[in-house]
Amino acid sequence: MSEGHDNGHGERRAPTGNHRTLRALAFLGALLAALLLASAGPAAAHAALRGSDPADGAVLKSSPRSVTLTFTESVGLLDDSFRVYDPTNHRVTTSDAEHGPAGSDTARITFPKKLGTGTFTVAWRVVSADSHPVSGALTFSVGKPSATTATVSSGPVENPLTGALYNIGRYVAYAAVALLLGAVAFIAVCRPPDPAPLRRPIRAAWWALLASTLFLFVLRSPYEEGTSPATAFDLSALAKSATGRPGLALLARVALLALTAALYLVLRRRVSGTRPPRPLLAGAVALSLALALTWAAAEHASAGIQVPLAMTSSVLHLLSMALWLGGLTALLITLQRSATRLAATVVARFSRVAFASVTVLVGTGVYQSWRGLGSWQALTDTSYGRLLLLKLAAVTMLLAAASQSRRWTAKLAKAPAVPAPDRVPLPVGAPAPAGPPTAENAPPLGEPSTVGEPPLAEPSTPDDPPAPPSGDRPQAALRRSILAEVAIGVAVLGISTILTGTLPGRAAAEAAESGTVSGATGIPAAAVAVVPFDVGTPNGHGKVQITLDPGRVGANSVQAVAFGPDGGISTVPELRLSFTLAAQKIGPLPANVTDRGGYWAADSVNIPIAGEWTMTVTVRVSDLEQVTVTKKIRIAA
């Protein structure tokens, strides 16, 4: 498509303000989409590990009959939710994963036979109730701790490519449902005299929502399992997706979209500047509620406290967002593409709808923020809280732009209509108005033609009254204001989408209080350091493996296991351990470890400040031989 327009004389006109505005809107949308996709990492899991039985790092006298994990919310189980490895890194036979007697927020496996002695590693992976996968690992020992060759991956919970594609599908789905519901509501409630400019955007939004929904369904199983997109079209994977709650919600969305298309076709025939029949409006409202419910049933609202109230709030929040932002986009498109000036009544109707939507958004947003945060401290101490502050700033800017739009709406309602030019009757016999030059009335060669041109206007004088303001001026200003609203609204929508993939502050606080850490890294919730030593005599060297659980500020359990030159566990007559933070002039803090029969341990060592601490380890291997070595270890906040 060319940039300018032909004026009929072979000349090109510069792009009009409408075209520049449309290009600016497209640029802003593309830029924001690129920023969101570039910054989108793996979604943070929403179920946090609250505790385990046996506890992480526990030393048991006898083999446990089962392993039970307890989470902060209900979880879904996978075929390979648990993997247990013995000290030689061989897979231990277990039962299928199941929920424990305490409910769906637990996961459990049992052992068909007794375990041997040594340190066992449990790697686990589940799907939280709000559809995000979470994984982690823990260890326990039977008899006494031992050296183990089992390793736990420290990679991301999800396949990076699968996660990126899944996030793209989520962004597209949110944007599409906002435009679809908002534009249809704008036609039905605001009743523009010519809804034709909105038909193509509505069709595009419907197809985008259908395509993104099917895309998310196909990727659902690889996303849960952490595998590559190449496994998406496996029939067993698709069947598995169709049985889980997120997959069922996506399939229900597809069915609802088919009904939505049928209703829109009926609505399109009946609505043309008039109010649609009440049965059609009731059907549209019911379908909109059902579509919003497919999001609420598979995200934050479906887990945690006050689930029925939270799901109701989530549905209203999504619908009010669609009415406001989608309706804004529909109003902007109508202002840009309408052949005639938009009636002030249409803008006034949308202004009332937008005000009601903002009221609902604020109310439901406050409730969801309280439910997700749990405390004021979480606003600054968690990623969820910081994102919420960013969204609050963006919403404040959006409300300021909306206030400006309401001012121009009021001015548009008061602006006089632009009158059409009067048709003045001519007396009989009067000459007809001059038309374009013809062969008969053309001027001599070289003289300019004046036929068909209006008479030159007389110059104005200071006494002449000023020209009245154009009736289109408020509409042009309103168009610019709405463009700003749409741009900021897209940013708010992007931040909201990222928030749905972030661990809520309340869940993060519960996990921190329980001393367990789980999430995207899959790393055991402990700080581990290996300290080599050498007393300078034959067979007088080895290493000490020191584990601090949870490796964070506060009370920590400490376990120290000495290994000899052959890599096996070595019994030493004495082992002392202390911690020093030289930068803060703290320490040394003695750990007071005691011999527990093959290893040394302390049940509670208080580490008061986060930072890189120095461990001082003294190992005595005989009555006369001992050595003191140091090692850095980082303590998290």
Side-chain angles (χ1 to χ4, degrees):
M1 180 179 294
S2 59
E3 291 293 328
H5 302 276
D6 198 314
N7 62 7
H9 296 278
E11 300 175 357
R12 307 295 294 174
R13 282 206 312 256
T16 64
N18 288 357
H19 289 79
R20 285 193 295 269
T21 304
L22 287 173
R23 284 204 300 271
L25 180 61
F27 174 75
L28 285 172
L31 178 61
L32 181 64
L35 289 175
L36 289 175
L37 297 179
S39 63
H46 298 164
L49 182 64
R50 177 178 288 161
S52 64
D53 182 21
D56 186 20
V59 179
L60 311 175
K61 293 182 179 180
S62 59
S63 172
R65 299 183 60 184
S66 63
V67 173
T68 302
L69 306 179
T70 303
F71 297 90
T72 57
E73 64 181 46
S74 59
V75 295
L77 303 178
L78 306 172
D79 292 340
D80 199 27
S81 277
F82 283 87
R83 289 168 290 134
V84 182
Y85 299 94
D86 65 16
T88 61
N89 201 25
H90 288 89
R91 183 87 177 258
V92 175
T93 302
T94 67
S95 67
D96 292 334
E98 61 182 1
H99 293 296
S104 60
D105 61 345
T106 62
R108 184 181 70 168
I109 53 167
T110 58
F111 300 110
K113 59 182 180 180
K114 288 187 176 181
L115 304 176
T117 59
T119 299
F120 291 81
T121 303
V122 181
W124 51 266
R125 182 182 183 89
V126 295
V127 179
S128 60
D130 50 12
S131 78
H132 298 282
V134 54
S135 67
L138 58 89
T139 62
F140 66 89
S141 300
V142 178
K144 59 182 181 180
S146 66
T148 177
T149 58
T151 58
V152 178
S153 171
S154 59
V157 175
E158 60 197 28
N159 179 279
L161 179 57
T162 302
L165 292 174
Y166 199 84
N167 284 332
I168 291 173
R170 292 172 62 239
Y171 293 139
V172 172
Y174 269 109
V177 74
L179 179 56
L180 177 64
L181 298 184
V184 173
F186 181 81
I187 293 176
V189 177
C190 301
R191 305 192 298 278
D194 181 20
L198 295 176
R199 289 170 184 167
R200 181 175 295 179
I202 288 175
R203 289 195 298 267
W206 187 89
W207 282 109
L209 183 54
L210 177 63
S212 61
T213 301
L214 294 174
F215 183 73
L216 291 173
F217 178 79
V218 170
L219 281 180
R220 186 65 214 171
S221 181
Y223 179 70
E224 291 181 351
E225 300 285 349
T227 57
S228 72
T231 63
F233 293 98
D234 184 89
L235 291 180
S236 61
L238 293 175
K240 191 183 303 180
S241 297
T243 58
R245 182 167 59 175
L248 290 174
L250 292 171
L251 291 177
R253 191 180 303 168
V254 172
L256 290 170
L257 282 174
L259 296 176
T260 303
L263 182 63
Y264 171 70
L265 292 177
V266 176
L267 195 65
R268 175 181 170 181
R269 296 190 184 99
R270 298 295 298 269
V271 178
S272 180
T274 60
R275 184 182 299 275
R278 288 186 177 181
L280 285 180
L281 283 178
V285 170
L287 282 176
S288 299
L289 289 171
L291 270 176
L293 190 61
T294 63
W295 270 272
E299 291 187 351
H300 282 165
S302 62
I305 62 173
Q306 303 174 351
V307 170
L309 181 58
M311 292 188 67
T312 302
S313 174
S314 179
V315 167
L316 293 177
H317 196 79
L318 179 62
L319 290 179
S320 57
M321 177 274 298
L323 286 176
W324 186 17
L325 298 184
L328 267 178
T329 306
L331 178 59
L332 179 62
I333 293 172
T334 303
L335 287 170
Q336 294 285 0
R337 299 182 182 179
S338 179
T340 60
R341 178 182 166 190
L342 190 63
T345 54
V346 175
V347 182
R349 289 177 192 134
F350 175 75
S351 181
R352 291 191 292 269
V353 171
F355 181 80
S357 300
V358 170
T359 303
V360 175
L361 271 174
V362 171
T364 55
V366 169
Y367 169 72
Q368 291 180 6
S369 300
W370 167 82
R371 183 175 180 268
L373 283 173
S375 68
W376 289 109
Q377 187 178 2
L379 271 174
T380 55
D381 290 354
T382 64
S383 298
Y384 185 88
R386 290 187 288 271
L387 274 173
L388 200 58
L389 289 175
L390 180 61
K391 180 180 178 180
L392 179 62
V395 170
T396 302
M397 294 173 60
L398 188 58
L399 291 175
S403 176
Q404 189 69 13
S405 297
R406 285 178 64 85
R407 289 178 56 192
W408 285 113
T409 299
K411 291 183 179 181
L412 182 65
K414 297 176 182 178
V418 179
D422 293 334
R423 300 177 64 91
V424 180
L426 297 175
V428 177
T438 62
E440 290 77 10
N441 60 16
L445 186 64
E447 294 185 14
S449 172
T450 59
V451 177
E453 296 183 359
L456 295 177
E458 296 183 0
S460 60
T461 66
D463 296 333
D464 292 336
S470 170
D472 287 336
R473 187 174 301 167
Q475 181 161 320
L478 177 63
R479 193 160 48 230
R480 291 191 296 269
S481 180
I482 291 176
L483 176 61
E485 271 193 84
V486 171
I488 302 172
V490 173
V492 172
L493 187 61
I495 297 171
S496 301
T497 307
I498 297 174
L499 265 176
T500 63
T502 305
L503 178 66
R506 186 184 296 272
E510 291 178 358
E513 289 176 2
S514 65
T516 60
V517 178
S518 61
T521 60
I523 301 175
V528 181
V530 176
V531 184
F533 67 89
D534 190 346
V535 297
T537 60
N539 297 325
H541 62 278
K543 60 184 178 181
V544 179
Q545 178 178 297
I546 300 172
T547 303
L548 276 77
D549 190 3
R552 304 171 68 89
V553 170
N556 287 262
S557 63
V558 179
Q559 296 177 4
V561 182
F563 297 92
D566 58 354
I569 293 181
S570 175
T571 302
V572 296
E574 185 179 5
L575 190 148
R576 296 192 301 273
L577 176 64
S578 63
F579 298 88
T580 303
L581 185 60
Q584 301 292 334
K585 298 181 179 180
I586 300 176
L589 305 178
N592 298 324
V593 294
T594 58
D595 190 356
R596 301 291 178 90
Y599 71 100
W600 296 74
D603 294 330
S604 181
V605 177
N606 185 51
I607 307 295
I609 298 177
E612 192 173 51
W613 289 70
T614 300
M615 293 189 304
T616 301
V617 185
T618 299
V619 182
R620 183 165 63 86
V621 297
S622 68
D623 292 338
L624 301 176
E625 298 170 332
Q626 72 176 35
V627 66
T628 299
V629 291
T630 60
K631 179 78 172 183
K632 300 288 186 180
I633 189 169
R634 177 163 292 278
I635 302 299

